Amino acid sequence: MKTATSLLLLTSSVAGFSVLPQHSASSSTALYGLFDGVKDAFSAPPSELDAERETPIDIETPIDRWMGWSVAAENAPQKAQATPDGFIDSMDETNYLSVELPKPMGIIFEENDADMGGIFIQSLKDDGVAAESGVLKPGDQLVAVGTNQVTGFDFDDALGAILDSTDEKTKLTIFRGTAKQLYGPTGPSKEWLSTFCSKGGVEASA
């Protein structure tokens, strides 16, 4: 009787189990493979991991390789913007000059293109005081007369600022660069230029 009971229990126990579907084995294998990758990424000896912690940030680590991260591109130095040939910084006061001259000055001015405005020195009379001072040169852009800003003025208004000056010597401030460098995209901000002119430009050259 005991043997029959044992056999019955064994039979019942076997019947209580079901066979797992065939795909479970492959799923388990894939899952174990995932964790094996994680295990491999962190299984380096402590001394090796310590060495990697001390390496620069752009060195690829095991976890970077396993996750497919690329640190080289992220930490690649950005190329510096090349400075155009002949560039003159119009917000650098060292590119401006001032001179105090009596009238008549012996300067022949010419107007820039209409889309820019303002006037520049076309030439200097050989026997004029401007030529004798040795400060001004053909091509200089007139920026201020005294403390009055004249950038962008038409020819008559810019020249009128000089004619209207009642000082014994009239202070002229010029920018030593081209009209495009003064009025173009790389020109000074309105705020900077206004502040610069209101203080009379730079100290007059002797």
Side-chain angles (χ1 to χ4, degrees):
M1 187 67 177
K2 184 183 294 185
T3 302
T5 303
S6 299
L7 183 58
L8 178 61
L9 289 175
L10 178 60
T11 304
S12 300
S13 299
V14 172
F17 289 96
S18 58
V19 178
L20 292 174
Q22 198 64 29
H23 63 78
S24 297
S26 60
S27 299
S28 300
T29 302
L31 183 59
Y32 283 123
L34 173 65
F35 285 102
D36 286 343
V38 175
K39 181 180 68 175
D40 292 342
F42 291 98
S43 62
S47 59
E48 185 177 337
L49 288 175
D50 291 340
E52 288 179 350
R53 291 192 189 102
E54 297 174 358
T55 54
I57 194 170
D58 58 347
I59 299 301
E60 191 176 53
T61 63
I63 189 63
D64 294 325
R65 291 192 293 271
W66 184 75
M67 294 296 292
W69 294 333
S70 176
V71 297
E74 294 177 1
N75 295 286
Q78 298 295 322
K79 293 183 179 179
Q81 294 291 334
T83 301
D85 293 338
F87 172 75
I88 299 176
D89 188 357
S90 58
M91 292 181 68
D92 184 349
E93 291 191 5
T94 60
N95 293 319
Y96 292 81
L97 294 170
S98 292
V99 64
E100 294 179 341
L101 301 172
K103 292 182 285 188
M105 299 177 177
I107 303 174
I108 300 174
F109 288 96
E110 187 172 330
E111 190 171 17
N112 291 312
D113 293 340
D115 60 336
M116 296 183 182
I119 62 176
F120 67 96
I121 297 175
Q122 195 273 332
S123 61
L124 303 173
K125 290 186 177 181
D126 292 337
D127 56 350
V129 294
E132 292 175 357
S133 72
V135 177
L136 303 178
K137 295 181 179 181
D140 289 342
Q141 295 285 328
L142 183 63
V143 173
V145 177
T147 58
N148 299 314
Q149 180 178 341
V150 296
T151 54
F153 283 20
D154 62 28
F155 185 86
D156 291 337
D157 290 339
L159 193 62
I162 299 175
L163 297 176
D164 293 342
S165 173
T166 58
D167 296 332
E168 182 179 348
K169 290 185 177 182
T170 301
K171 184 178 183 179
L172 304 181
T173 298
I174 58 92
F175 169 65
R176 183 142 290 168
T178 66
K180 185 176 181 180
Q181 290 166 337
L182 181 61
Y183 296 105
T186 61
S189 67
K190 292 181 179 180
E191 294 78 9
W192 185 92
L193 193 56
S194 177
T195 300
F196 175 71
C197 292
S198 64
K199 70 175 185 177
V202 295
E203 185 176 352
S205 301

